[in-house]
Amino acid sequence: MSHTAHIRSHRKPRRSASTIAMRTGVASGVLGTLAVAAAAGSANAAEPVTQTLELPVLTGDLAAQVAQSAQATQQAAANYQLQAERDAAAAAAAKEAKKDLADAKAEATKKAEAARKAAAERATRNAERTTLTSTSSDSSSSYTSTSTSTATGSAAAVIAFVKAQIGDAYVSGGTGPNSWDCSGLMQTAFKQVGISLPRVSQDQSTAGTQVSLDNLQPGDILYWGSAGSAYHVAVYVGDGMFVGAQNPSTGVAEKPLSYDPPTGAVRVL
């Protein structure tokens, strides 16, 4: 036995003719397929294929909706601004109304206080006049009977002026020509004869020489209240009578001394 007899042969086994024929047919089919594909590829390369991408187009309805949305947004902004302006105007009006109310209350308080003071002053004057009437009634006949009734010169001019104003209205602060208060009438009357009197009754009650009520002369200035703080003045016209701007009820009137007896008198003529 040969020394290589036990080693298996390394030669590949032979393939059968049928196997070779089948594989040859498969290869031929593959090659044919590749040829057809190549031909198709060449044809396709000659005519390139283009692909169009279609973008979405806004339709008329969508555009209208966008416009409406923008308009609604603008209208909402306008409404907001208008409301803000109205709120600011309302706040300003409320602030102004509150201020006006405070001013009205202050003015009403001021007027009420003035009315209270005026009422108290009238009550004081009435009380003083009542006291003067009760204490002077016994002496009124004495100074009436001894007073001079004949006016001459400047006194006659003053008396003529005040008598010409009888019937005019009494107005606080009035200085003529158709309405007077007591001191305004005295100041204007004595100005007719060149005598300048102070404006108010308090000062007129100390403007001349003090005279007693039982030695009165026509043209003397009568006063009610204390000298220097008198609240009323008039002029003595003789025969126990005086003329003065009394009050809103009587206006300028001529009255007897007993109607409202004076406190004192001053002589400036």
Side-chain angles (χ1 to χ4, degrees):
M1 184 176 189
S2 174
H3 66 276
T4 60
H6 67 280
I7 300 174
R8 298 181 63 178
S9 177
H10 293 280
R11 185 180 294 177
K12 294 181 180 180
R14 294 187 180 186
R15 296 173 179 165
S16 65
S18 59
T19 302
I20 294 172
M22 182 183 65
R23 290 187 176 182
T24 301
V26 171
S28 297
V30 171
L31 291 174
T33 302
L34 291 175
V36 172
S42 298
N44 291 335
E47 296 181 2
V49 178
T50 58
Q51 182 177 3
T52 303
L53 298 178
E54 295 185 0
L55 297 177
V57 180
L58 293 178
T59 64
D61 292 340
L62 181 58
Q65 291 176 2
V66 172
Q68 290 177 358
S69 178
Q71 184 178 4
T73 302
Q74 184 177 5
Q75 184 63 40
N79 292 340
Y80 180 81
Q81 182 178 0
L82 178 60
Q83 186 61 42
E85 292 175 353
R86 288 178 176 175
D87 292 344
K95 183 178 180 181
E96 186 66 21
K98 184 177 180 180
K99 180 179 179 299
D100 292 342
L101 179 61
D103 292 344
K105 287 183 177 180
E107 184 65 19
T109 302
K110 183 178 179 181
K111 289 183 178 180
E113 181 64 17
R116 185 190 65 78
K117 289 182 178 179
E121 184 177 357
R122 286 194 298 269
T124 301
R125 289 183 179 181
N126 291 336
E128 290 177 350
R129 289 181 178 181
T130 300
T131 302
L132 290 172
T133 300
S134 62
T135 57
S136 304
S137 58
D138 294 337
S139 59
S140 61
S141 59
S142 62
Y143 58 70
T144 301
S145 61
T146 59
S147 61
T148 304
S149 60
T150 303
T152 59
S154 296
V158 171
I159 292 170
F161 180 84
V162 296
K163 285 190 174 184
Q165 314 312 313
I166 292 175
D168 284 354
Y170 175 93
V171 174
S172 179
T175 57
N178 299 314
S179 59
W180 313 83
D181 64 10
C182 61
S183 57
L185 178 60
M186 294 298 97
Q187 185 182 51
T188 305
F190 282 88
K191 188 176 181 180
Q192 308 306 308
V193 295
I195 295 177
S196 179
L197 289 178
R199 174 63 183 87
V200 296
S201 59
Q202 293 90 336
D203 296 333
Q204 289 179 4
S205 65
T206 60
T209 303
Q210 296 286 330
V211 296
S212 64
L213 294 177
D214 58 359
N215 193 29
L216 293 174
Q217 294 180 2
D220 288 345
I221 297 176
L222 306 175
Y223 63 85
W224 284 254
S226 304
S229 59
Y231 58 83
H232 183 60
V233 288
V235 62
Y236 181 66
V237 297
D239 296 327
M241 305 292 289
F242 68 88
V243 174
Q246 293 300 107
N247 52 60
S249 298
T250 63
V252 179
E254 183 176 12
K255 298 290 184 180
L257 292 173
S258 59
Y259 168 79
D260 190 5
T263 303
V266 292
R267 185 168 296 157
V268 295
L269 299 176

PDB file of all heavy atoms in Angstrom, residues 50-71:
ATOM      1  N   THR A  50     -39.087  65.898 -13.946  1.00  0.00           N
ATOM      2  CA  THR A  50     -39.205  67.043 -13.013  1.00  0.00           C
ATOM      3  C   THR A  50     -40.431  66.844 -12.142  1.00  0.00           C
ATOM      4  O   THR A  50     -41.482  66.413 -12.622  1.00  0.00           O
ATOM      5  CB  THR A  50     -39.327  68.362 -13.782  1.00  0.00           C
ATOM      6  OG1 THR A  50     -40.462  68.290 -14.626  1.00  0.00           O
ATOM      7  CG2 THR A  50     -38.081  68.629 -14.609  1.00  0.00           C
ATOM      8  N   GLN A  51     -40.296  67.209 -10.855  1.00  0.00           N
ATOM      9  CA  GLN A  51     -41.419  67.064  -9.893  1.00  0.00           C
ATOM     10  C   GLN A  51     -41.785  68.449  -9.347  1.00  0.00           C
ATOM     11  O   GLN A  51     -40.922  69.182  -8.874  1.00  0.00           O
ATOM     12  CB  GLN A  51     -41.025  66.146  -8.740  1.00  0.00           C
ATOM     13  CG  GLN A  51     -42.164  65.924  -7.752  1.00  0.00           C
ATOM     14  CD  GLN A  51     -41.776  64.950  -6.664  1.00  0.00           C
ATOM     15  OE1 GLN A  51     -40.640  64.491  -6.632  1.00  0.00           O
ATOM     16  NE2 GLN A  51     -42.713  64.635  -5.810  1.00  0.00           N
ATOM     17  N   THR A  52     -43.004  68.880  -9.450  1.00  0.00           N
ATOM     18  CA  THR A  52     -43.495  70.204  -9.003  1.00  0.00           C
ATOM     19  C   THR A  52     -44.156  70.077  -7.640  1.00  0.00           C
ATOM     20  O   THR A  52     -45.065  69.259  -7.462  1.00  0.00           O
ATOM     21  CB  THR A  52     -44.506  70.774 -10.003  1.00  0.00           C
ATOM     22  OG1 THR A  52     -43.880  70.843 -11.279  1.00  0.00           O
ATOM     23  CG2 THR A  52     -44.952  72.148  -9.559  1.00  0.00           C
ATOM     24  N   LEU A  53     -43.655  70.884  -6.699  1.00  0.00           N
ATOM     25  CA  LEU A  53     -44.269  70.909  -5.362  1.00  0.00           C
ATOM     26  C   LEU A  53     -45.298  72.031  -5.324  1.00  0.00           C
ATOM     27  O   LEU A  53     -44.981  73.197  -5.576  1.00  0.00           O
ATOM     28  CB  LEU A  53     -43.195  71.141  -4.295  1.00  0.00           C
ATOM     29  CG  LEU A  53     -42.120  70.069  -4.199  1.00  0.00           C
ATOM     30  CD1 LEU A  53     -41.104  70.454  -3.126  1.00  0.00           C
ATOM     31  CD2 LEU A  53     -42.740  68.717  -3.877  1.00  0.00           C
ATOM     32  N   GLU A  54     -46.480  71.708  -5.055  1.00  0.00           N
ATOM     33  CA  GLU A  54     -47.554  72.703  -5.015  1.00  0.00           C
ATOM     34  C   GLU A  54     -47.696  73.263  -3.600  1.00  0.00           C
ATOM     35  O   GLU A  54     -47.893  72.507  -2.655  1.00  0.00           O
ATOM     36  CB  GLU A  54     -48.875  72.070  -5.461  1.00  0.00           C
ATOM     37  CG  GLU A  54     -48.861  71.639  -6.915  1.00  0.00           C
ATOM     38  CD  GLU A  54     -50.213  71.125  -7.348  1.00  0.00           C
ATOM     39  OE1 GLU A  54     -51.122  71.132  -6.479  1.00  0.00           O
ATOM     40  OE2 GLU A  54     -50.376  70.739  -8.521  1.00  0.00           O
ATOM     41  N   LEU A  55     -47.502  74.586  -3.496  1.00  0.00           N
ATOM     42  CA  LEU A  55     -47.675  75.265  -2.201  1.00  0.00           C
ATOM     43  C   LEU A  55     -49.147  75.555  -1.966  1.00  0.00           C
ATOM     44  O   LEU A  55     -49.901  75.840  -2.907  1.00  0.00           O
ATOM     45  CB  LEU A  55     -46.898  76.582  -2.169  1.00  0.00           C
ATOM     46  CG  LEU A  55     -45.374  76.434  -2.305  1.00  0.00           C
ATOM     47  CD1 LEU A  55     -44.729  77.805  -2.345  1.00  0.00           C
ATOM     48  CD2 LEU A  55     -44.823  75.622  -1.147  1.00  0.00           C
ATOM     49  N   PRO A  56     -49.528  75.547  -0.714  1.00  0.00           N
ATOM     50  CA  PRO A  56     -50.950  75.856  -0.436  1.00  0.00           C
ATOM     51  C   PRO A  56     -51.276  77.304  -0.803  1.00  0.00           C
ATOM     52  O   PRO A  56     -50.472  78.200  -0.590  1.00  0.00           O
ATOM     53  CB  PRO A  56     -51.075  75.613   1.079  1.00  0.00           C
ATOM     54  CG  PRO A  56     -49.688  75.735   1.587  1.00  0.00           C
ATOM     55  CD  PRO A  56     -48.789  75.248   0.496  1.00  0.00           C
ATOM     56  N   VAL A  57     -52.385  77.507  -1.391  1.00  0.00           N
ATOM     57  CA  VAL A  57     -52.844  78.833  -1.809  1.00  0.00           C
ATOM     58  C   VAL A  57     -53.981  79.273  -0.893  1.00  0.00           C
ATOM     59  O   VAL A  57     -54.881  78.486  -0.613  1.00  0.00           O
ATOM     60  CB  VAL A  57     -53.318  78.802  -3.279  1.00  0.00           C
ATOM     61  CG1 VAL A  57     -53.803  80.189  -3.688  1.00  0.00           C
ATOM     62  CG2 VAL A  57     -52.193  78.345  -4.186  1.00  0.00           C
ATOM     63  N   LEU A  58     -53.873  80.578  -0.418  1.00  0.00           N
ATOM     64  CA  LEU A  58     -54.937  81.116   0.431  1.00  0.00           C
ATOM     65  C   LEU A  58     -56.191  81.302  -0.391  1.00  0.00           C
ATOM     66  O   LEU A  58     -56.170  81.953  -1.442  1.00  0.00           O
ATOM     67  CB  LEU A  58     -54.521  82.461   1.047  1.00  0.00           C
ATOM     68  CG  LEU A  58     -53.373  82.417   2.055  1.00  0.00           C
ATOM     69  CD1 LEU A  58     -53.050  83.815   2.520  1.00  0.00           C
ATOM     70  CD2 LEU A  58     -53.736  81.541   3.240  1.00  0.00           C
ATOM     71  N   THR A  59     -57.234  80.745   0.085  1.00  0.00           N
ATOM     72  CA  THR A  59     -58.512  80.920  -0.608  1.00  0.00           C
ATOM     73  C   THR A  59     -59.124  82.248  -0.216  1.00  0.00           C
ATOM     74  O   THR A  59     -58.696  82.906   0.729  1.00  0.00           O
ATOM     75  CB  THR A  59     -59.465  79.781  -0.237  1.00  0.00           C
ATOM     76  OG1 THR A  59     -59.752  79.869   1.162  1.00  0.00           O
ATOM     77  CG2 THR A  59     -58.839  78.424  -0.563  1.00  0.00           C
ATOM     78  N   GLY A  60     -60.140  82.682  -0.933  1.00  0.00           N
ATOM     79  CA  GLY A  60     -60.828  83.942  -0.629  1.00  0.00           C
ATOM     80  C   GLY A  60     -61.446  83.929   0.749  1.00  0.00           C
ATOM     81  O   GLY A  60     -61.414  84.911   1.473  1.00  0.00           O
ATOM     82  N   ASP A  61     -62.022  82.833   1.176  1.00  0.00           N
ATOM     83  CA  ASP A  61     -62.659  82.751   2.496  1.00  0.00           C
ATOM     84  C   ASP A  61     -61.640  82.928   3.600  1.00  0.00           C
ATOM     85  O   ASP A  61     -61.886  83.615   4.597  1.00  0.00           O
ATOM     86  CB  ASP A  61     -63.362  81.399   2.645  1.00  0.00           C
ATOM     87  CG  ASP A  61     -64.560  81.293   1.721  1.00  0.00           C
ATOM     88  OD1 ASP A  61     -65.039  82.361   1.277  1.00  0.00           O
ATOM     89  OD2 ASP A  61     -65.011  80.158   1.470  1.00  0.00           O
ATOM     90  N   LEU A  62     -60.467  82.288   3.443  1.00  0.00           N
ATOM     91  CA  LEU A  62     -59.441  82.396   4.481  1.00  0.00           C
ATOM     92  C   LEU A  62     -58.920  83.831   4.586  1.00  0.00           C
ATOM     93  O   LEU A  62     -58.709  84.351   5.678  1.00  0.00           O
ATOM     94  CB  LEU A  62     -58.292  81.421   4.171  1.00  0.00           C
ATOM     95  CG  LEU A  62     -57.139  81.410   5.193  1.00  0.00           C
ATOM     96  CD1 LEU A  62     -57.677  81.062   6.577  1.00  0.00           C
ATOM     97  CD2 LEU A  62     -56.065  80.417   4.773  1.00  0.00           C
ATOM     98  N   ALA A  63     -58.726  84.501   3.436  1.00  0.00           N
ATOM     99  CA  ALA A  63     -58.272  85.895   3.453  1.00  0.00           C
ATOM    100  C   ALA A  63     -59.297  86.791   4.147  1.00  0.00           C
ATOM    101  O   ALA A  63     -58.959  87.696   4.914  1.00  0.00           O
ATOM    102  CB  ALA A  63     -58.012  86.368   2.025  1.00  0.00           C
ATOM    103  N   ALA A  64     -60.578  86.553   3.872  1.00  0.00           N
ATOM    104  CA  ALA A  64     -61.630  87.348   4.508  1.00  0.00           C
ATOM    105  C   ALA A  64     -61.628  87.139   6.015  1.00  0.00           C
ATOM    106  O   ALA A  64     -61.810  88.074   6.801  1.00  0.00           O
ATOM    107  CB  ALA A  64     -62.992  86.978   3.927  1.00  0.00           C
ATOM    108  N   GLN A  65     -61.393  85.886   6.433  1.00  0.00           N
ATOM    109  CA  GLN A  65     -61.357  85.598   7.867  1.00  0.00           C
ATOM    110  C   GLN A  65     -60.193  86.317   8.547  1.00  0.00           C
ATOM    111  O   GLN A  65     -60.313  86.843   9.649  1.00  0.00           O
ATOM    112  CB  GLN A  65     -61.258  84.089   8.082  1.00  0.00           C
ATOM    113  CG  GLN A  65     -62.511  83.329   7.685  1.00  0.00           C
ATOM    114  CD  GLN A  65     -62.344  81.838   7.833  1.00  0.00           C
ATOM    115  OE1 GLN A  65     -61.290  81.364   8.270  1.00  0.00           O
ATOM    116  NE2 GLN A  65     -63.376  81.074   7.460  1.00  0.00           N
ATOM    117  N   VAL A  66     -59.029  86.331   7.859  1.00  0.00           N
ATOM    118  CA  VAL A  66     -57.867  87.037   8.417  1.00  0.00           C
ATOM    119  C   VAL A  66     -58.158  88.533   8.552  1.00  0.00           C
ATOM    120  O   VAL A  66     -57.854  89.166   9.560  1.00  0.00           O
ATOM    121  CB  VAL A  66     -56.624  86.795   7.541  1.00  0.00           C
ATOM    122  CG1 VAL A  66     -55.470  87.683   7.995  1.00  0.00           C
ATOM    123  CG2 VAL A  66     -56.223  85.329   7.599  1.00  0.00           C
ATOM    124  N   ALA A  67     -58.779  89.112   7.504  1.00  0.00           N
ATOM    125  CA  ALA A  67     -59.115  90.536   7.546  1.00  0.00           C
ATOM    126  C   ALA A  67     -60.098  90.832   8.667  1.00  0.00           C
ATOM    127  O   ALA A  67     -59.974  91.823   9.399  1.00  0.00           O
ATOM    128  CB  ALA A  67     -59.687  90.981   6.200  1.00  0.00           C
ATOM    129  N   GLN A  68     -61.111  89.977   8.821  1.00  0.00           N
ATOM    130  CA  GLN A  68     -62.094  90.169   9.888  1.00  0.00           C
ATOM    131  C   GLN A  68     -61.446  90.077  11.259  1.00  0.00           C
ATOM    132  O   GLN A  68     -61.768  90.823  12.177  1.00  0.00           O
ATOM    133  CB  GLN A  68     -63.217  89.136   9.747  1.00  0.00           C
ATOM    134  CG  GLN A  68     -64.117  89.358   8.552  1.00  0.00           C
ATOM    135  CD  GLN A  68     -65.173  88.279   8.418  1.00  0.00           C
ATOM    136  OE1 GLN A  68     -65.207  87.341   9.206  1.00  0.00           O
ATOM    137  NE2 GLN A  68     -66.025  88.415   7.403  1.00  0.00           N
ATOM    138  N   SER A  69     -60.518  89.134  11.413  1.00  0.00           N
ATOM    139  CA  SER A  69     -59.822  88.997  12.697  1.00  0.00           C
ATOM    140  C   SER A  69     -59.004  90.241  13.024  1.00  0.00           C
ATOM    141  O   SER A  69     -59.008  90.735  14.157  1.00  0.00           O
ATOM    142  CB  SER A  69     -58.917  87.758  12.657  1.00  0.00           C
ATOM    143  OG  SER A  69     -58.204  87.631  13.883  1.00  0.00           O
ATOM    144  N   ALA A  70     -58.312  90.787  12.009  1.00  0.00           N
ATOM    145  CA  ALA A  70     -57.526  92.003  12.227  1.00  0.00           C
ATOM    146  C   ALA A  70     -58.432  93.180  12.581  1.00  0.00           C
ATOM    147  O   ALA A  70     -58.132  93.981  13.474  1.00  0.00           O
ATOM    148  CB  ALA A  70     -56.702  92.313  10.973  1.00  0.00           C
ATOM    149  N   GLN A  71     -59.566  93.281  11.865  1.00  0.00           N
ATOM    150  CA  GLN A  71     -60.511  94.370  12.154  1.00  0.00           C
ATOM    151  C   GLN A  71     -61.089  94.244  13.555  1.00  0.00           C
ATOM    152  O   GLN A  71     -61.233  95.231  14.280  1.00  0.00           O
ATOM    153  CB  GLN A  71     -61.626  94.359  11.117  1.00  0.00           C
ATOM    154  CG  GLN A  71     -62.610  95.529  11.272  1.00  0.00           C
ATOM    155  CD  GLN A  71     -63.671  95.518  10.189  1.00  0.00           C
ATOM    156  OE1 GLN A  71     -63.735  94.610   9.370  1.00  0.00           O
ATOM    157  NE2 GLN A  71     -64.500  96.532  10.184  1.00  0.00           N
TER     158      GLN A  71
END
